[in-house]
Amino acid sequence: MTRRYLLPLAVTTMTAVLTAGLAGAPTATGAPATGASWRADLSIVDDDDSGVTSDGGTVRLDRAAPTPASARAAVRTGFLQLAPHQLDTPANTVAAAVRSTVPNGAEVAVDVRGAVGDDQWTEWVEARPDAPAVLPTATTTVQVRLALTAEKQSPEVRELTLTASTTKTFTTQAAGLSYRIYATREGLVGGTTANGHVIKSRDHFVALPSRRGLAANNSGTYSVRVCASNGRCEWAPVWDVGPWNTKDDYWNPSSTREMWKDLPQGKPEAQAAYQDGYNGGKDQFGRTVANPAGIDLADGTFWDGLQLADNSWVTVTYQWTGSGPAGYVRTAGDPLNVRSGATSTATQVGLAANYAMVRVECQVTGQSVTGSQGTSSIWYRIASGKYVAKAYVSGVSGATTC
C-alpha cells in the first residue's frame, strides 16, 4: 500500500513515526508557515549510514540490517544520514513530506538536528505527520536522517522533501542534564549496535533507550559522562539503542518526551515498570522488565572506565544537552586517561573513550604532552578534579583559564 505523508508546519511536540496504520495525510490546523524547501538526495549511501541500501533513489533496509544489540528486540533497524543542508536564514522548524511504502510491522521516521557549533549538534528530533521537528535553537545548518525499522518486510522511501521555517526562539541549557540511573553491562561481544558498530572485547560506548541521542559509528556527537559512586567517570559515545525500550528519551521533559509522558523527567520507563509496576511492569514490547536499567555500558566502560563489579546506580550527564566549550577525544583507538591533575603522573580517575565528546570547564598549564593533536602543555578540566591533555582533544574553542 503506497501513501504520501505530508507533515504540516503547525508547531506542537517533537515526535514522529510514519507507519502503514496511518489513514492518510493529516491536515494542518491553521495556516501553515512558509519557508525554504528542498528535496533530499536519497541515492547516496556512505560510511555514515548503516543497514540501508539505495536503488535508483529508493531507500530500503539492507538484508543484513542489524537488530540493536542492547534492545534485545527482533526489529531490523537502518539509518540514512543525509549531508548537512545550509539554509539562507536561521530556522528552528523543519517539516517533511515523505512518499513511501510502509508494510505492516514496519516504520519510517524522519529525524532532524541543527548545528550549534563546531562539531556540535542538537539532539535528533522527529518530524511527524501532525507536527514538524522543532529544534531548541535556530540554526543555518540542519541535517536530516531517515530511520527505517521492520519486523519482516522492509519499508521503501522514494521521495523526501523538507521545509525549514522559524517559529518561537529557544535557548540551550548552559549545563547538561544529569540524572542518577541504573546501569547494566551490555556485553554481547560480536553483536552489532544500532549504528552498525561491531562490539569488541572491552569496548567503550553506551546504549540509551532512544535513537534521539544515537551517534553515528565512529562519532561522538552524542556522548555521556557516566560517574560511579567510587568517584570514577567515563566519557563515552552513544552507539546503541536500549536497554528494554527504544523510544524512551527519559532525560527530556514530558512535553517533548517521545513516549511515557506521564513519567517524571529523568525516570526511565524500565525503572518505573520495575519499581512501581508502571505499564503493568512491562516495556514497550510487552516484556516483563527484570531490572530498572536506563543505560547499558559496554564492557570496557563498565570494567575499566568505572571499575564496576556488578550492575549499579550511576550518575549520567547527557553531554549534548549542554553548551559551552567542547571537544572530541582523538586517540589511536584506546581510551584516553583522565587524571586528577595536569600531569601524566597524576592518579587516573577515569577514562574518555576515543570519539567521545568532553565538555571543557576551563584549562590549565601542566606537563607537555605529544599526541594526535600535536604537542601542548595545556590540560582541560572536564569535571571537578578531572583533567585530560589537550594533545588528544580536538575542536575546543573559547576555554578560559581555571
Side-chain angles (χ1 to χ4, degrees), residues 90-105:
N92 71 330
T93 300
V94 178
V98 182
R99 189 161 61 90
S100 61
T101 301
V102 187
N104 289 330

Side-chain angles (χ1 to χ4, degrees), residues 169-259:
T169 301
F170 295 83
T171 57
T172 303
Q173 272 186 248
L177 297 169
S178 184
Y179 297 104
R180 188 162 176 77
I181 302 297
Y182 192 72
T184 48
R185 183 176 66 86
E186 178 161 347
L188 303 174
V189 174
T192 303
T193 66
N195 71 0
H197 172 74
V198 178
I199 302 173
K200 302 176 296 184
S201 176
R202 299 190 102 91
D203 219 335
H204 290 265
F205 68 87
V206 305
L208 293 178
S210 168
R211 70 170 183 272
R212 287 184 168 186
L214 178 67
N217 196 7
N218 296 330
S219 163
T221 308
Y222 303 100
S223 296
V224 295
R225 182 183 74 197
V226 187
C227 296
S229 58
N230 60 14
R232 292 184 63 85
C233 298
E234 174 158 338
W235 286 252
V238 183
W239 282 356
D240 205 4
V241 178
W244 297 110
N245 295 297
T246 62
K247 297 181 180 180
D248 185 24
D249 52 323
Y250 57 79
W251 51 89
N252 283 324
S254 59
S255 60
T256 61
R257 190 166 174 167
E258 187 171 9
M259 293 182 68

Side-chain angles (χ1 to χ4, degrees), residues 65-127:
T67 59
S70 186
R72 277 80 161 180
V75 179
R76 292 187 298 145
T77 304
F79 297 97
L80 179 69
Q81 186 166 299
L82 305 173
H85 182 81
Q86 301 297 318
L87 302 171
D88 291 333
T89 57
N92 71 330
T93 300
V94 178
V98 182
R99 189 161 61 90
S100 61
T101 301
V102 187
N104 289 330
E107 294 181 349
V108 172
V110 180
D111 299 333
V112 184
R113 67 178 181 176
V116 291
D118 294 338
D119 293 323
Q120 297 184 54
W121 296 83
T122 68
E123 189 170 285
W124 288 106
V125 180
E126 296 176 33

Side-chain angles (χ1 to χ4, degrees), residues 5-24:
Y5 298 107
L6 300 177
L7 284 74
L9 299 174
V11 177
T12 56
T13 57
M14 301 191 295
T15 35
V17 170
L18 309 182
T19 74
L22 294 173

